[in-house]
Amino acid sequence: MSTRHGTLHLNAFLMGVGHHEAAWRLPEADPFAHVDVAHYQHLARIAERGMLDSLFLADGPVLWNDLGRRPAGTLEPTVLLTALAAVTKHIGLIATASTTYNEPYNLARRFASLDHISGGRAGWNIVTTADLQAARNFNLDSLPAHRERYERAAEFVDVSLKLWDSWDDDAALGDKAAGVWGDSAKIYPPEYVGKHFQVAGALNVPRPPQGHPLLVQAGSSEDGKDFAARYADAVFTAHQTLADAQTFYADLKRRALSHGRDPDTVKILPGIVPILGATEAEARALEAELGRLIRPEYALPQLAELLKVSPDELVLDRELPVELPDEDAIEGAKSRRTLVVNLARRERLTVRELIGRLGGGRGHFTVAGTPVQIADTIVEWYENGAADGFNIMPPVLPSGLSAFVDHVVPILQQRGLFRTDYDGQTLRDNYGLPRPANRNTAAPAPALTGDGR
Amino acid sequence: MSTRHGTLHLNAFLMGVGHHEAAWRLPEADPFAHVDVAHYQHLARIAERGMLDSLFLADGPVLWNDLGRRPAGTLEPTVLLTALAAVTKHIGLIATASTTYNEPYNLARRFASLDHISGGRAGWNIVTTADLQAARNFNLDSLPAHRERYERAAEFVDVSLKLWDSWDDDAALGDKAAGVWGDSAKIYPPEYVGKHFQVAGALNVPRPPQGHPLLVQAGSSEDGKDFAARYADAVFTAHQTLADAQTFYADLKRRALSHGRDPDTVKILPGIVPILGATEAEARALEAELGRLIRPEYALPQLAELLKVSPDELVLDRELPVELPDEDAIEGAKSRRTLVVNLARRERLTVRELIGRLGGGRGHFTVAGTPVQIADTIVEWYENGAADGFNIMPPVLPSGLSAFVDHVVPILQQRGLFRTDYDGQTLRDNYGLPRPANRNTAAPAPALTGDGR
């Protein structure tokens, strides 16, 4: 039935008790579940029951200071995903980690460890952390410039790839009789000297089952898109319209090609917030209930910060001010701001309405409807050059995830667009990507097979 | 029967397929188990069956370059222990991490996360990493000086304590009706400005179940002992004789007192390598077999490096050279060197014999014997002011751990010196230590209740 070959890819973006900022106020919610490993283990089992490709955790090394608004604090993702690895077998485990506030040796090692522990299911969502408060937790007084963060990120990934490749796959011998455990000649110390990093020695973890973890990126600035085109195996992105998603999709695939990569090896997954009901009315009622539970006195200052205006300039029952600061003056979160402003202008939303629309997905595409309506939207984007799959952002957890798994996934399976069983062992297998050869021993890659093969 | 109140404390120091460098060559050994999470989960279950207080993993961010000698590479401890938390309920989980090559915000957060995930079972073995090759993995050309490393370590721990205390225990409210999740007034950002670190904001993880993780230290230099006396809840140490252990024990307790702490709240655990047999002859046979499996061509250069001499100066069938470089000239690993030289001189060991003695425990106290003999040694040290418990270092894993748990632990239990069931919930409970009050809200501690209470 599909015009496309293969399966679409579905990632479960887990966030506390749901992506909607007011989800914790629902009668069903445990307001402390966001730091409860049992909650996440329950979610992981639901997602694996639905044959989803992967789980994903966002992250930043900073406490947001609006403690009243919603559950605050997040368990560190590489650690939390290790606890989820212990109760699952197939689903991929994607952790966000910052290149600005980590060291390559430590982080590459932690991802290699997670990949070993999970049997090849680790993924890294590479972020540069555009947040002044985070900078102030790491000896800095100001946020490093956007360009500088991306420059460091590129070096960070280059070094990490060298570290993951620093063991030959057959460096370990285990020859008991000869008393020779491994072959030092098959170790390739990076001896890396760059602008941001010097890393001399080999990693102290053997080459990971996947060669290296799946690399994920979500930047949408020019630097971000170029970085994704160069390094990413998968790209998370946010769009409000099919047309915008198509433009982004075509642009990123073109950029990947210009880096000598096969565009099919860069999987693009827009975010979608599915507000599900057995009927459309039921879905709309849930959406409305969540909207009522938002407290605008918390949400308005954050919107003002995103727009770089004073909170006084925003009036709840009016549209956004006609004049807003220039995009170019802003470091970080560039495209999210454009997306939010465009949404408000296009639909002529009041500030209150805009806050309601952002409450569920912070700018991601929100659809309230029946399982068939959600599935139709997914298929429409997938079949029309806008997506290789979706980043599923349930507004309420666990109920929104189990609703998606139990009611939307079967429709996609019936239409022949989604797997009915896991057919591989690793996260790369789930995404249909080959295990990268070790660059220290591989023959030079021919054009088009691209980065990391 | 015991002259002491309470229970002794037993920690299982897990290292690959055993502490003996040749353990991997035994017929029973899987030479690749050191990077296999199932191996460690098996060990954790054995240790918990024996009611042991805790598990411990050593670590350093560097690959040792003698790949031939023994299994190389180690999974990152905070991640690996999270996988062990998932299959255990009571046993403590102590990870080594370096203050020289981490940032406080990231590391404090990871330990807080492990503490939440494990229900209050996290411990941190604080090390400063005396290794030039590690420095070269972190942008440095030389090893920071001993004194500077300890200065940074003290700042690191000070900041970490502020981060763990940056949430009041009751900062989270979860008030659904009012729409107020937490109380920002109960968040205490560190706003720390020191020589090595500036950390402004609160941790993004609520206060851990234990208040903060158990703090463990193993330095034996003057700086190291002073650091332990100031911060550590438990101290791992290495001694070859009862007299040396008694001297260290008395000295460290005295130092703790001088820092205003109750000496009983600093638990001292010397290492012991128990080579167990049903008979003494059987134990000696295992010791001899392991000795035969050592390849001196690997072990001799490492001994030379420890002693700071050229490998040419060491002759396998002679004693150590009379002249050795001065202790004071050496940065790091100071006391281990003294201990090794004293052992060789005291027992007039040849280099080959010394290599055999070090093969099992790298300078730790090695005892070959029956379960009763091992238990007698443990009791002798425990009853005579040399130890509050032991750091158990099985030469072969898993067999050496299960032998200890199944045959030595029951003797200690019969003598009334060890628990027959876990009676608390957290690692601090296992060690008989109270949960520290939050320093931002606690009344000033009276003298003697000391650090962190």
Side-chain angles (χ1 to χ4, degrees):
Chain A
M1 196 181 319
S2 171
T3 60
R4 293 187 60 169
H5 175 72
T7 183
L8 62 78
H9 301 286
L10 297 174
N11 172 74
F13 181 173
L14 305 184
M15 178 168 284
V17 293
H19 281 269
H20 197 284
E21 67 170 274
W24 69 275
R25 296 186 67 191
L26 290 173
E28 74 186 65
D30 170 1
F32 308 113
H34 66 301
V35 287
D36 180 357
V37 65
H39 170 69
Y40 291 96
Q41 290 177 329
H42 180 54
L43 297 176
R45 289 187 178 106
I46 293 170
E48 191 163 82
R49 183 174 88 214
M51 313 295 164
L52 268 51
D53 292 67
S54 47
L55 303 173
F56 162 61
L57 297 170
D59 201 55
V62 62
L63 177 68
W64 307 108
N65 57 8
D66 51 352
L67 208 70
R69 184 178 186 179
R70 62 185 300 172
T74 39
L75 301 171
E76 196 281 326
T78 60
V79 163
L80 178 54
L81 290 178
T82 304
L84 305 191
V87 299
T88 54
K89 286 202 169 142
H90 298 284
I91 198 160
L93 306 159
I94 302 172
T96 299
S98 173
T99 53
T100 306
Y101 304 117
N102 279 289
E103 285 288 328
Y105 199 94
N106 288 337
L107 194 65
R109 183 179 179 214
R110 225 153 68 240
F111 276 107
S113 299
L114 176 58
D115 207 49
H116 279 284
I117 287 172
S118 64
R121 296 188 282 140
W124 173 22
N125 178 41
I126 305 161
V127 299
T128 69
T129 313
D131 189 278
L132 169 62
Q133 299 311 318
R136 297 187 66 233
N137 294 335
F138 293 89
N139 312 322
L140 299 175
D141 295 318
S142 62
L143 178 66
H146 191 271
R147 179 56 55 92
E148 192 188 322
R149 292 202 313 275
Y150 271 94
E151 184 186 80
R152 178 179 161 115
E155 264 200 29
F156 198 118
V157 176
D158 287 339
V159 175
S160 298
L161 290 168
K162 284 178 191 293
L163 286 165
W164 290 316
D165 281 352
S166 64
W167 289 56
D168 228 38
D169 284 315
D170 57 1
L173 306 169
D175 186 340
K176 292 182 183 183
V180 177
W181 184 80
D183 181 355
S184 294
K186 295 192 169 176
I187 297 292
Y188 311 102
E191 297 292 355
Y192 184 90
V193 180
K195 179 175 164 192
H196 296 272
F197 301 110
Q198 289 183 39
V199 180
L203 201 61
N204 56 351
V205 179
R207 191 159 191 261
Q210 292 189 103
H212 58 255
L214 191 84
L215 300 181
V216 181
Q217 226 272 334
S220 297
S221 66
E222 288 302 304
D223 287 337
K225 283 186 282 194
D226 203 61
F227 187 94
R230 196 166 143 203
Y231 294 108
D233 299 304
V235 177
F236 295 153
T237 181
H239 304 289
Q240 290 283 344
T241 66
L242 175 63
D244 283 353
Q246 286 168 323
T247 302
F248 178 88
Y249 185 95
D251 178 46
L252 201 75
K253 297 277 181 171
R254 203 157 37 227
R255 287 177 196 245
L257 194 61
S258 80
H259 282 284
R261 300 180 64 195
D262 176 354
D264 284 346
T265 64
V266 186
K267 305 298 183 186
I268 298 176
L269 287 79
I272 183 170
V273 182
I275 304 182
L276 279 157
T279 62
E280 191 176 331
E282 197 179 300
R284 296 256 169 245
L286 173 58
E287 185 175 34
E289 184 183 2
L290 287 165
R292 271 193 307 274
L293 292 173
I294 294 176
R295 290 190 60 186
E297 57 269 49
Y298 292 132
L300 189 141
Q302 196 184 41
L303 178 61
E305 194 183 325
L306 178 69
L307 302 177
K308 302 287 171 193
V309 299
S310 156
D312 307 339
E313 297 180 58
L314 301 180
V315 180
L316 274 175
D317 293 308
R318 291 204 193 152
E319 293 183 36
L320 293 184
V322 175
E323 298 283 330
L324 288 170
D326 275 357
E327 167 88 3
D328 284 349
I330 299 163
E331 287 289 342
K334 287 185 182 184
S335 61
R336 188 61 52 90
R337 178 172 170 280
T338 304
L339 185 153
V340 166
V341 172
N342 287 350
L343 169 66
R345 304 266 195 242
R346 189 173 59 243
E347 306 195 18
R348 304 204 59 182
L349 301 175
T350 65
V351 168
R352 189 188 301 276
E353 288 165 339
L354 181 60
I355 284 171
R357 290 288 285 276
L358 296 179
R362 305 175 309 284
H364 281 273
F365 183 45
T366 301
V367 192
T370 63
V372 168
Q373 288 173 318
I374 304 289
D376 284 346
T377 301
I378 287 174
V379 174
E380 184 189 14
W381 286 41
Y382 179 66
E383 301 275 1
N384 289 285
D388 297 312
F390 280 84
N391 193 16
I392 308 300
M393 303 168 60
V396 184
L397 289 167
S399 64
L401 182 62
S402 53
F404 186 87
V405 158
D406 295 335
H407 300 293
V408 181
V409 165
I411 298 170
L412 298 172
Q413 289 170 327
Q414 283 154 21
R415 297 188 191 178
L417 293 173
F418 195 60
R419 71 177 66 83
T420 53
D421 207 348
Y422 289 105
D423 43 18
Q425 298 297 317
T426 70
L427 173 53
R428 285 184 180 278
D429 290 340
N430 292 349
Y431 278 95
L433 297 168
R435 182 176 193 263
N438 191 321
R439 293 167 191 220
N440 291 303
T441 51
L448 273 190
T449 63
D451 193 274
R453 291 183 67 171
Chain B
M1 196 179 321
S2 172
T3 60
R4 294 186 60 169
H5 175 73
T7 183
L8 62 78
H9 301 286
L10 297 174
N11 173 73
F13 182 174
L14 304 183
M15 179 169 283
V17 293
H19 281 270
H20 197 286
E21 67 171 274
W24 70 275
R25 296 186 66 192
L26 290 173
E28 73 186 67
D30 170 1
F32 308 114
H34 67 301
V35 287
D36 180 356
V37 65
H39 170 68
Y40 291 97
Q41 290 177 328
H42 180 53
L43 297 175
R45 289 188 178 106
I46 294 170
E48 191 162 82
R49 184 174 87 215
M51 311 294 164
L52 269 51
D53 292 67
S54 47
L55 303 173
F56 162 61
L57 298 170
D59 201 55
V62 61
L63 177 68
W64 306 108
N65 57 8
D66 51 353
L67 208 70
R69 184 178 187 179
R70 63 186 300 172
T74 39
L75 300 171
E76 196 282 324
T78 60
V79 162
L80 178 53
L81 290 178
T82 303
L84 305 191
V87 300
T88 54
K89 285 201 169 144
H90 298 284
I91 198 159
L93 307 160
I94 302 173
T96 299
S98 173
T99 53
T100 306
Y101 304 116
N102 280 288
E103 286 288 328
Y105 199 95
N106 287 337
L107 194 64
R109 184 179 178 213
R110 224 153 69 237
F111 276 108
S113 299
L114 177 58
D115 207 49
H116 279 284
I117 287 171
S118 64
R121 297 189 281 139
W124 173 22
N125 178 42
I126 305 161
V127 298
T128 69
T129 313
D131 189 279
L132 169 62
Q133 298 313 316
R136 297 187 66 233
N137 293 336
F138 293 87
N139 310 324
L140 300 175
D141 295 319
S142 62
L143 178 64
H146 192 269
R147 178 58 53 96
E148 191 189 323
R149 293 202 313 275
Y150 271 94
E151 184 186 82
R152 179 179 160 115
E155 264 200 29
F156 198 116
V157 176
D158 288 339
V159 175
S160 297
L161 290 168
K162 285 179 191 293
L163 286 165
W164 290 317
D165 281 351
S166 63
W167 288 55
D168 228 37
D169 284 316
D170 57 0
L173 306 168
D175 186 340
K176 293 182 183 183
V180 178
W181 184 80
D183 181 356
S184 294
K186 294 192 169 177
I187 297 292
Y188 311 102
E191 296 291 356
Y192 183 90
V193 179
K195 180 176 163 192
H196 295 273
F197 301 109
Q198 289 183 41
V199 180
L203 200 62
N204 56 353
V205 179
R207 192 158 189 260
Q210 291 189 104
H212 58 255
L214 191 85
L215 300 182
V216 181
Q217 226 272 333
S220 298
S221 65
E222 289 301 305
D223 287 337
K225 283 187 281 196
D226 203 62
F227 187 94
R230 197 166 144 204
Y231 294 108
D233 299 304
V235 176
F236 294 152
T237 180
H239 304 289
Q240 289 284 343
T241 67
L242 175 63
D244 284 353
Q246 286 168 324
T247 302
F248 177 89
Y249 185 95
D251 178 46
L252 201 75
K253 297 278 181 171
R254 205 157 35 228
R255 287 178 195 244
L257 194 60
S258 80
H259 282 284
R261 300 180 63 193
D262 177 353
D264 284 347
T265 63
V266 186
K267 306 298 184 188
I268 298 177
L269 288 80
I272 184 170
V273 182
I275 304 184
L276 279 158
T279 62
E280 192 176 330
E282 197 179 299
R284 298 254 169 247
L286 173 58
E287 185 175 33
E289 184 183 2
L290 286 166
R292 271 194 307 275
L293 292 174
I294 293 176
R295 291 190 61 186
E297 59 268 49
Y298 292 132
L300 191 140
Q302 196 182 42
L303 179 61
E305 194 182 326
L306 179 69
L307 301 177
K308 302 288 171 194
V309 299
S310 156
D312 306 339
E313 296 179 58
L314 301 180
V315 181
L316 274 175
D317 292 310
R318 292 206 192 147
E319 293 183 35
L320 293 184
V322 176
E323 298 281 332
L324 288 169
D326 277 356
E327 167 89 1
D328 284 348
I330 298 165
E331 287 289 343
K334 287 186 182 182
S335 61
R336 188 59 53 88
R337 179 172 169 279
T338 304
L339 185 153
V340 166
V341 173
N342 288 350
L343 169 67
R345 303 268 195 243
R346 188 172 61 242
E347 305 195 19
R348 304 203 59 181
L349 302 175
T350 65
V351 167
R352 189 188 301 276
E353 288 164 341
L354 181 60
I355 283 171
R357 289 289 284 277
L358 296 179
R362 304 175 309 285
H364 281 272
F365 183 45
T366 301
V367 192
T370 63
V372 169
Q373 288 173 317
I374 304 289
D376 284 345
T377 301
I378 286 174
V379 173
E380 184 189 13
W381 286 40
Y382 179 65
E383 300 276 1
N384 289 285
D388 297 312
F390 280 85
N391 193 16
I392 308 300
M393 302 167 60
V396 184
L397 288 167
S399 63
L401 181 62
S402 54
F404 186 87
V405 158
D406 295 335
H407 301 291
V408 181
V409 166
I411 298 170
L412 299 171
Q413 289 170 328
Q414 283 154 21
R415 297 190 191 177
L417 293 173
F418 195 61
R419 69 177 68 84
T420 53
D421 207 348
Y422 289 104
D423 44 16
Q425 297 299 317
T426 70
L427 173 53
R428 286 185 179 276
D429 290 340
N430 293 348
Y431 277 94
L433 297 169
R435 182 176 193 262
N438 191 322
R439 294 167 191 220
N440 291 303
T441 53
L448 273 189
T449 62
D451 191 272
R453 289 184 70 170

